[in-house]
Amino acid sequence: MSDKRIELPYLDGIRGAAALTIVLYHAFLFTGHTGDAYNDLPILGWFLGYGYLGVPIFIVLSGYVLMLPIAMHREFKLRTSLKRYIGRRARRILPPYYAALAISLILIATFPIMQEPSGTQWDTKVPVTIGGTISHLLLIHDMSGSWIGQINGPLWSIAVEWQIYFLMPLVILPLWRRVNPMIVASGLLVVSLSVVLLFGRFPYAHPWLIGLFSLGMLAAYSTLNANWELSWLLRATKMLTLCTVVILFGAWNWMHSHPWASESLVGILFAASLVILGRASLAGIESRVINFFKSALMIRLGLVSYSVYLLHSPLIGLANLLTLHWNLPTWLQYLFLTLVVVPTVLAVCVGFYWLVERRFHNTHQRSVSSTQVVQSSTS
């Protein structure tokens, strides 16, 4: 198989859509006082309440993207040394993460309203403790319920993903070289779920995301190597989609209170969908879904998605706190946060991208960024 890098531009658009979904979820969650949005806007909550499922999509997508160049060869080895692999991951992930962490701490220190209990969702982020701060610096804050939500809630998943980056070359790939990849991926999902369900250990670390990351890797391998008929895959995934929707909304309360179940279910469905999209794209088959996610707007959103994910939460939380004294009805407060605050926050995050994140792009992102600049200048 050729060593030429596989380019699937719609993946950037999917990443952008996942980030936007999480932002809209948090705008709903931060609306008014804790529980106001769910109590007063139940129909919206029925849909937006699942916005957190953007996180397992990120994790599966990360496994998929990292595995694509490896899956082109049968040795299942990194295309570079372990040291260089970790160095590249660190350069890409850590500087923007620490910059966002610093900005979040500065915001909390600058606005006294963010330091005191207010009866809002922001209460889960404070008080900021020494242990919480140090654990965030070491990226181990997902190991404790008292640390995980402090300062900037979404940052917990960065810790999880950073830890998985080490498991991929040290555990998952060596297993793949000895055991069938499908057995390894499904086995890791079962084992990682068992850590929580049977032993009650590390629930805040979301260990099942290890299994979902491995499923993303399996999806990349299946995209390039499986001989399944695309029509059969499409029918099976449509059936899985129907079952997933029925389960998510038919058992909303249970699924919403058991994230291991909802995240695993959506992660499995998304991994299967990536195989279909990848096989179709490589075969040159046109698809409305692919065309939508590889549109210029979605690719631009994907390009800044990491900055959006890192920085949006404290900004939305602050906006809600600053406007609580307006005593707006819940629906109006929600519309204000969604239609006014969210676009403003996205603009701030784009600024963060240009000032910070852009300096730490990987090769693929530099290529995408250059392409977007050219397109913008000629449009």
Side-chain angles (χ1 to χ4, degrees):
M1 187 175 292
S2 172
D3 285 329
K4 184 179 179 181
R5 181 184 177 91
I6 297 174
E7 295 292 345
L8 301 174
Y10 61 85
L11 297 178
D12 294 306
I14 293 175
R15 187 179 290 108
L20 184 59
T21 298
I22 293 171
V23 171
L24 294 176
Y25 164 64
H26 284 144
F28 180 82
L29 198 63
F30 276 115
T31 296
H33 293 91
T34 301
D36 282 354
Y38 280 114
N39 292 331
D40 298 340
L41 305 170
I43 296 178
L44 275 176
W46 196 255
F47 295 96
L48 293 177
Y50 277 126
Y52 65 89
L53 293 175
V55 172
I57 288 176
F58 275 134
I59 296 296
V60 172
L61 193 56
S62 182
Y64 186 86
V65 170
L66 289 178
M67 187 61 192
L68 273 177
I70 299 174
M72 296 172 64
H73 306 273
R74 296 189 178 278
E75 314 93 79
F76 297 139
K77 294 181 179 180
L78 295 175
R79 299 294 91 194
T80 184
S81 67
L82 177 61
K83 180 180 179 181
R84 182 172 173 79
Y85 160 79
I86 294 298
R88 292 181 64 180
R89 290 290 86 206
R91 185 180 187 278
R92 173 70 192 99
I93 297 297
L94 298 186
Y97 165 83
Y98 285 123
L101 179 63
I103 292 172
S104 301
L105 289 169
I106 291 171
L107 283 173
I108 294 172
T110 302
F111 292 91
I113 197 172
M114 301 184 79
Q115 303 167 20
E116 301 294 335
S118 57
T120 71
Q121 185 65 24
W122 182 254
D123 289 356
T124 61
K125 317 304 177 217
V126 292
V128 176
T129 65
I130 294 177
T133 303
I134 294 175
S135 65
H136 275 72
L137 291 173
L138 298 177
L139 283 102
I140 58 171
H141 49 286
D142 60 320
M143 296 298 177
S144 169
S146 61
W147 296 340
I148 190 169
Q150 284 187 36
I151 307 172
N152 182 338
L155 297 187
W156 70 266
S157 68
I158 308 302
V160 173
E161 191 164 2
W162 175 245
Q163 293 153 19
I164 294 175
Y165 286 155
F166 289 87
L167 292 177
M168 179 182 173
L170 297 178
V171 176
I172 303 177
L173 288 178
L175 285 174
W176 276 42
R177 290 193 286 270
R178 294 168 175 80
V179 185
N180 183 281
M182 185 170 292
I183 295 176
V184 173
S186 56
L188 282 174
L189 182 59
V190 171
V191 170
S192 58
L193 281 170
S194 300
V195 170
V196 175
L197 300 181
L198 298 182
F199 304 104
R201 305 298 300 273
F202 308 115
Y204 298 105
H206 293 62
W208 54 89
L209 294 182
I210 299 172
L212 295 184
F213 183 92
S214 184
L215 283 180
M217 295 172 59
L218 179 63
Y221 172 78
S222 301
T223 296
L224 300 180
N225 297 284
N227 294 319
W228 307 319
E229 289 187 9
L230 192 58
S231 58
W232 177 87
L233 279 173
L234 188 57
R235 288 195 298 270
T237 304
K238 284 182 178 178
M239 182 62 66
L240 180 59
T241 300
L242 177 62
C243 293
T244 299
V245 171
V246 169
I247 293 172
L248 287 178
F249 292 101
W252 193 94
N253 289 328
W254 191 88
M255 295 296 287
H256 196 66
S257 59
H258 295 80
W260 61 266
S262 56
E263 292 181 6
S264 297
L265 186 60
V266 168
I268 292 170
L269 173 61
F270 181 58
S273 300
L274 284 177
V275 177
I276 292 177
L277 293 175
R279 294 281 299 277
S281 180
L282 293 177
I285 300 174
E286 289 293 327
S287 162
R288 291 182 180 179
V289 174
I290 291 177
N291 288 336
F292 171 76
F293 283 118
K294 72 176 185 180
S295 65
L297 177 61
M298 294 308 298
I299 289 179
R300 288 191 181 103
L301 182 58
L303 196 62
V304 301
S305 60
Y306 187 45
S307 291
V308 170
Y309 186 80
L310 288 174
L311 208 54
H312 75 276
S313 182
L315 296 174
I316 296 176
L318 175 60
N320 182 64
L321 289 171
L322 291 175
T323 56
L324 272 181
H325 68 280
W326 293 357
N327 294 316
L328 297 175
T330 302
W331 66 270
L332 192 54
Q333 181 76 357
Y334 164 73
L335 287 179
F336 174 76
L337 290 182
T338 301
L339 301 180
V340 178
V341 173
V342 166
T344 304
V345 166
L346 291 177
V348 172
C349 292
V350 169
F352 177 84
Y353 162 81
W354 282 102
L355 291 173
V356 179
E357 184 192 351
R358 186 170 62 96
R359 303 172 185 275
F360 303 99
H361 273 177
N362 57 32
T363 304
H364 166 72
Q365 288 165 319
R366 285 195 293 271
S367 174
V368 172
S369 181
S370 300
T371 301
Q372 292 303 313
V373 169
V374 171
Q375 290 177 347
S376 298
S377 64
T378 57
S379 61

